[in-house]
Amino acid sequence: MSLAEALASAVDGVTTKVEFGRPRALVPLESWHRAALAAKDALGCRMFDWLGVEDAGRPGAVGERHAVTLHVVHPGERAGLLMRTELPSGEELPSVASVWAGAAWHEREAAEMFGIALAGHPDPRRLLLPDSFAGHPLRKDFVLAARVVRPWPGGLEPGEADTSAPSRRRLAPPGVPGPEWGPRREEPQQ
């Protein structure tokens, strides 16, 4: 029995799905913290590996739903458990930092970069971005600054500012001789 199947039998509402040849535990949001405790205490997954968030919105519904994935490891069996939950807009993700201390950094990053709210997190301070930064840069609906907005500090493109760059010599693929090698086409005599 895989760790995902063991978690599904230990916690109500948890289902399993095989994706890319690995079983994954699909956990309802209300059971997220309870499933994390069961994974550590009942299943022996004492080693935290990573926690990540994905903007799971579809076109026209971006930012309305996030998918949270957690991977922990049973060190004795050298087996991993992949847990996933869906976080609708306006809902809070129950923190698992009290279960695995290493999850605190990952949750803070997710909150800052995706704008998700954390319930029961021990340290709500910003982690990566300055306090003056507005927005959540890893969300699909975050508009990136373009060259039009910010002047490009590098060299100008050909044709910009009434300058033209010299044309570049066309390179042939390796092993292809240049046009000066080989027979030439003769012009017809008149």
Side-chain angles (χ1 to χ4, degrees):
M1 176 184 288
S2 71
L3 289 172
E5 294 166 337
L7 185 66
S9 63
V11 179
D12 291 337
V14 175
T15 58
T16 61
K17 183 178 181 181
V18 176
E19 294 176 343
F20 303 107
R22 290 191 64 191
R24 175 181 291 198
L26 304 173
V27 181
L29 183 61
E30 59 274 2
S31 303
W32 183 248
H33 192 266
R34 193 168 359 116
L37 284 172
K40 184 177 181 186
D41 297 336
L43 302 180
C45 295
R46 303 207 177 276
M47 191 172 94
F48 172 81
D49 189 15
W50 57 268
L51 180 140
V53 177
E54 164 191 358
D55 192 352
R58 302 295 177 247
V62 173
E64 294 179 8
R65 187 169 52 96
H66 292 90
V68 180
T69 305
L70 170 71
H71 188 257
V72 291
V73 177
H74 185 295
E77 294 181 16
R78 295 183 181 173
L81 170 62
L82 202 58
M83 297 168 44
R84 180 182 172 107
T85 191
E86 298 286 330
L87 183 66
S89 179
E91 295 286 325
E92 292 184 330
L93 178 70
S95 176
V96 294
S98 62
V99 181
W100 297 284
W105 190 95
H106 294 255
E107 289 177 340
R108 283 173 64 191
E109 177 191 34
E112 190 170 341
M113 295 299 190
F114 288 94
I116 64 172
L118 297 172
H121 195 275
D123 189 3
R125 293 177 299 156
R126 282 192 162 232
L127 181 67
L128 301 169
L129 300 173
D131 291 334
S132 61
F133 191 88
H136 307 288
L138 291 184
R139 289 175 63 143
K140 290 179 184 173
D141 58 354
F142 183 77
V143 179
L144 297 174
R147 257 178 91 174
V148 176
V149 177
R150 291 186 178 161
W152 181 251
L156 298 176
E157 294 289 333
E160 290 182 343
D162 296 330
T163 63
S164 61
S167 63
R168 295 185 178 154
R169 185 180 72 129
R170 292 184 183 239
L171 297 176
V176 176
E180 69 279 351
W181 186 85
R184 295 190 182 10
R185 187 175 136 213
E186 295 183 16
E187 295 294 325
Q189 294 182 8
Q190 294 180 356

